[in-house]
Amino acid sequence: MALLLPALLLIGCSKSDAIAPSNAAEDARAIAAVEAAQQQLPPVDFVTLQPIAESDGLPCAFNLSASAKPPVFRFGAEAGRVMIEGDVKTFAVDHGSIEIYPGVRQEFDGKEFSLALQHDADDADNRGNASRWPAKLTMRDSHDRPVFLGMGVVSCGAPTSAPAPGSIPQR
């Protein structure tokens, strides 16, 4: 019995357990196929922004034309909102982006999409100094592909400049 146990252990460690070269090549091809499939992007799913009613504390709006009411994008110093298929999507302000109006930035980030307002460089005198100016709104999906592009007009109410960090608001 004492001799039988070591013999069984030696049988368990035979070379038949090693991966054959042909199996290793097949495994490598299979892994490469899976990796390639994972890198394929889904088709672009373009969106249509629906008009969105008043939003509390969001003094700025993007309209697809000067006469379009209500707008398709509302935004302010801390957030932006759009409506897609009846669902309101909220976006956080990218505080590292360019200020386009006192306290208001041009880029917004959401869970599924990002938004950017671009101002016509030829009309730069109006941006930041006026409450209404022409702009382009671009929405991108999670793969940074454009899913909405609209030319229109930005209008802002009272400036929404936030107090400096650590400051005490005056009453």
Side-chain angles (χ1 to χ4, degrees):
M1 180 88 162
L3 293 176
L4 185 59
L5 186 59
L8 289 174
L9 289 175
L10 287 175
I11 293 172
C13 296
S14 69
K15 290 187 178 183
S16 64
D17 289 342
I19 296 176
S22 62
N23 288 343
E26 287 175 26
D27 288 347
R29 280 192 296 277
I31 289 170
V34 168
E35 288 175 348
Q38 289 175 339
Q39 292 181 6
Q40 289 182 349
L41 297 177
V44 175
D45 189 12
F46 295 100
V47 300
T48 300
L49 299 184
Q50 297 171 308
I52 185 166
E54 293 289 328
S55 289
D56 294 335
L58 300 178
C60 297
F62 175 83
N63 296 66
L64 289 172
S65 70
S67 61
K69 296 287 181 187
V72 295
F73 177 46
R74 291 199 171 271
F75 58 100
E78 297 299 322
R81 291 189 187 94
V82 298
M83 186 181 304
I84 302 170
E85 297 179 3
D87 186 27
V88 175
K89 307 277 187 192
T90 300
F91 295 80
V93 171
D94 179 347
H95 289 285
S97 65
I98 296 170
E99 187 174 72
I100 59 171
Y101 191 71
V104 178
R105 302 291 173 166
Q106 79 174 26
E107 295 180 14
F108 300 80
D109 299 313
K111 291 180 182 178
E112 303 169 69
F113 304 102
S114 64
L115 287 163
L117 283 165
Q118 289 129 346
H119 187 269
D120 184 359
D122 294 335
D123 200 19
D125 289 339
N126 288 333
R127 191 185 84 223
N129 299 321
S131 61
R132 189 174 175 85
W133 64 91
K136 176 173 70 171
L137 178 64
T138 305
M139 178 182 272
R140 295 182 177 279
D141 67 9
S142 60
H143 301 286
D144 203 32
R145 302 174 299 184
V147 295
F148 175 87
L149 176 64
M151 300 299 291
V153 176
V154 167
S155 57
C156 287
T160 60
S161 56
S167 68
I168 299 172
Q170 300 295 317
R171 294 185 187 210

